[in-house]
Amino acid sequence: VFAAYDIDKYDGLYLEGGIKHDFVLEDIGLTLTAEASTVYVVHYAFVAGPEGHDTGFQRYQLGLMGKYGLNKLLNIPKRYGDWSINGYIYYTDRISTRLHTDNTLWGGAGFEFHY
C-alpha cells in the first residue's frame, strides 16, 4: 500500500494498493513474479477528466516479471553476490472513464546485483 497527500499544488490524496506473488522454479533458476495493483484518488485535480471529476478508482495495473539467476549458469560463487537478468512487462488501463489516465503496455530488461 502506498499513500501520498499533495499539500502544495493539487491538495489531494493518492492511494495505491496491490499484491504480488513469486513462483520459484528452483531447478532452472527462474523466478516469475505476478503483480496487480489499483489506484484510488480523492480530490486529485491532476487526473480530473473532461467533466471535472477528481475522485474515484482511476486505474489498474497488471505485471509479470521474470528473474533468471546467473550464479549457477556462470558458476559465480555466492560470496561474490547474487547476479541475475530480469525482464518485465506491465499493462495499465483505466477503471473510470470520468478520470484521466493512459492505457499503456510497457516493459524492459536489465541486470541485477545484490550483495
Side-chain angles (χ1 to χ4, degrees), residues 14 16-17 35-40 47 57-64 88-96 99-107:
Y14 174 95
E16 182 173 346
E35 302 179 16
S37 65
T38 188
V39 170
Y40 188 81
V47 298
F57 282 99
Q58 179 200 15
R59 64 177 173 85
Y60 68 91
Q61 180 170 290
L62 304 173
L64 182 65
Y88 53 90
I89 188 163
Y90 289 94
Y91 176 71
T92 302
D93 198 358
R94 75 176 69 204
I95 294 175
S96 172
L99 299 170
H100 174 73
T101 192
D102 294 326
N103 300 350
T104 309
L105 178 66
W106 56 281

Side-chain angles (χ1 to χ4, degrees), residues 9-71:
K9 189 170 184 178
Y10 298 111
D11 196 30
L13 179 65
Y14 174 95
L15 296 169
E16 182 173 346
I19 59 172
K20 72 177 186 174
H21 183 72
D22 292 335
F23 299 93
V24 180
L25 307 170
E26 290 184 25
D27 294 341
I28 58 175
L30 180 66
T31 301
L32 296 174
T33 303
E35 302 179 16
S37 65
T38 188
V39 170
Y40 188 81
V41 292
V42 179
H43 303 299
Y44 207 69
F46 178 72
V47 298
E51 301 161 4
H53 296 285
D54 61 358
T55 298
F57 282 99
Q58 179 200 15
R59 64 177 173 85
Y60 68 91
Q61 180 170 290
L62 304 173
L64 182 65
M65 180 177 160
K67 179 178 181 177
Y68 183 72
L70 295 174
N71 289 66

